[in-house]
């Protein structure tokens, strides 16, 4: 993967809340996990907190409560406007966000008949307040349907590499593309439909959550197929190249964060009835579906077997 050093990094698509506060102690994570307007949807979920606690990872696990937070992008803007911007983790991730949203601005109306409405990614550290409630880093990256924002503590990539064995660089845009897949689901009404189905059929709630997550994986694969065609607001390509090795890194990540793989790493029994995100094999298969077709319309995980 090679990013274009001439591409403009649009920091207005992110909100930097790092260092904005956080308090409390313990392992509390008060946000409910799952689809729908009241809960969050994310690439990994609450089991990350369990895993990190068990393996002794140095990852923030403090719950946060309090009032509204305000981001300050001043320092981020300065870093991302510097000649060495692509050496900075937050600037690279901002450019990934730019690419993902550039893709959906065109793909969503063309493939699924809905106008795309951009949203922001919130960078936070340890804990954050959201319209879905208070969360900490143990949840992993997530999307909150109630405020339509993506949230990520960039330290998650250390957990991804060191604890989950997914160290490739392309794991990072895959994670973000998955979360923006949830934003697309929110725009299409899929999140709300799943939430209502879960209320009507609580015994099938986990299976519905799995289908939601696998669709987000498929959407991420569709973006990956088309990422080299995305450009900044001046028409500069964002990616110079994406290789088959990069795609293999995304697939490796999908496998590493399957419910069964995470359970095994945490020395927990593997119980498919408890899956909320999908098995490693299913996550790999649906990412591949999106990548091979390059078409979000091929990502209907709700028809037939997931």
């Amino acid at each position: 993967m090679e990013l274009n050093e001439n591409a403009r990094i649009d920091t207005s698509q992110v909100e930097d809340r790092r260092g904005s506060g956080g308090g409390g102690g313990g392992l509390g994570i008060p946000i409910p996990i799952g689809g729908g307007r009241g809960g969050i949807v994310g690439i990994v979920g609450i089991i990350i907190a369990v895993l990190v606690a068990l393996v002794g990872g140095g990852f923030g696990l403090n719950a946060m409560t309090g009032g509204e937070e305000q981001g300050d992008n001043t320092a981020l803007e300065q870093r991302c406007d510097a000649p060495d911007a692509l050496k900075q983790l937050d600037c690279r991730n901002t450019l990934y966000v730019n690419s993902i949203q550039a893709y959906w601005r065109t793909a969503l109306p063309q493939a699924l008949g809905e106008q795309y409405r951009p949203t922001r990614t919130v960078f936070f550290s340890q804990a954050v307040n959201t319209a879905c409630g208070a969360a900490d880093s143990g949840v992993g990256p997530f999307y909150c349907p109630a405020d339509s924002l993506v949230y990520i503590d960039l330290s998650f990539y250390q957990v991804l590499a060191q604890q989950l064995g997914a160290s490739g660089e392309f794991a990072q845009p895959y994670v973000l593309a998955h979360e923006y897949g949830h934003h697309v689901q929110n725009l299409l009404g899929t999140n709300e439909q799943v939430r209502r189905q879960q209320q009507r059929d609580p015994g099938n709630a986990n299976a519905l959550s799995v289908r939601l997550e696998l669709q987000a994986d498929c959407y991420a694969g569709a973006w990956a197929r088309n990422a080299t065609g995305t450009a900044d607001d001046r028409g500069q390509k964002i990616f110079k190249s994406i290789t088959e090795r990069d795609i293999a890194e995304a697939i490796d990540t999908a496998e590493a964060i399957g419910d069964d793989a995470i359970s095994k790493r945490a020395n927990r029994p593997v119980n498919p009835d408890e899956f909320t995100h999908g098995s490693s094999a299913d996550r790999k298969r649906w990412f591949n579906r999106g990548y091979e077709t390059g078409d979000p319309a091929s990502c209907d995980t709700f028809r037939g077997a997931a």
Side-chain angles (χ1 to χ4, degrees):
M1 176 182 69
E2 185 178 5
L3 289 165
N4 182 2
E5 64 275 7
N6 295 318
R8 184 170 92 72
I9 303 173
D10 182 1
T11 56
S12 71
Q13 295 186 25
V14 302
E15 182 180 343
D16 194 355
R17 295 191 199 171
R18 292 170 294 181
S20 62
L27 203 62
I29 302 176
I31 293 183
I33 305 298
R37 192 163 178 79
I40 66 174
V41 279
I43 195 164
V44 185
I46 199 168
I47 199 167
I48 279 289
V50 177
L51 170 63
V52 175
L54 287 172
V55 299
F59 200 51
L61 294 170
N62 293 325
M64 180 176 180
T65 57
E68 292 294 322
E69 297 175 71
Q70 297 295 324
D72 183 356
N73 279 19
T74 304
L76 180 67
E77 291 168 0
Q78 293 173 348
R79 279 195 302 279
C80 296
D81 196 38
D84 64 346
L86 293 184
K87 295 181 180 178
Q88 308 299 322
L89 177 66
D90 48 9
C91 296
R92 291 197 309 276
N93 273 261
T94 301
L95 197 53
Y96 300 149
V97 169
N98 297 164
S99 171
I100 294 161
Q101 299 214 92
Y103 166 68
W104 282 113
R105 273 194 293 270
T106 300
L108 190 59
Q110 286 184 350
L112 298 170
E114 183 76 26
Q115 290 301 309
Y116 182 71
R117 296 195 298 274
T119 192
R120 297 187 307 281
T121 291
V122 176
F123 296 153
F124 71 95
S125 179
Q126 294 192 331
V128 68
N129 282 330
T130 83
C132 295
D136 66 28
S137 299
V139 176
F142 63 91
Y143 174 75
C144 172
D147 58 25
S148 299
L149 296 176
V150 172
Y151 292 85
I152 184 170
D153 183 331
L154 294 174
S155 296
F156 170 75
Y157 295 136
Q158 297 176 19
V159 174
L160 197 60
Q162 297 169 11
Q163 308 294 351
L164 300 178
S167 58
E169 178 73 16
F170 204 73
Q172 297 178 20
Y174 158 66
V175 165
L176 291 168
H178 174 100
E179 297 310 332
Y180 273 88
H182 289 309
H183 180 54
V184 168
Q185 290 169 329
N186 205 32
L187 296 178
L188 293 171
T190 312
N191 281 331
E192 182 64 19
Q193 291 170 14
V194 167
R195 185 187 69 82
R196 290 197 298 266
Q197 285 182 272
Q198 288 174 323
Q199 290 177 336
R200 289 193 299 266
D201 184 10
N204 202 33
N206 282 359
L208 289 165
S209 176
V210 166
R211 290 175 185 267
L212 198 70
E213 296 296 337
L214 294 178
Q215 186 175 63
D217 280 334
C218 187
Y219 286 161
W223 163 79
R225 167 61 74 182
N226 295 281
T228 53
T230 60
D232 67 11
D233 56 7
R234 300 176 300 185
Q236 287 280 343
K237 291 289 185 70
I238 291 176
F239 287 92
K240 286 185 175 180
S241 65
I242 293 175
T243 67
E244 288 302 314
R245 179 177 178 180
D246 297 322
I247 300 306
E249 290 174 353
I251 291 170
D252 287 346
T253 305
E255 289 185 300
I257 56 179
D259 285 320
D260 49 346
I262 290 180
S263 293
K264 289 173 183 176
R265 285 183 178 272
N267 294 317
R268 291 164 54 92
V270 176
N271 183 356
D273 291 336
E274 295 179 352
F275 287 0
T276 58
H277 286 66
S279 69
S280 295
D282 285 340
R283 299 197 73 161
K284 173 182 175 179
R285 178 165 59 90
W286 280 101
F287 176 87
N288 271 328
R289 168 77 67 87
Y291 180 72
E292 289 168 0
T293 65
D295 181 6
S298 72
C299 296
D300 190 352
T301 57
F302 294 91
R303 288 183 181 272

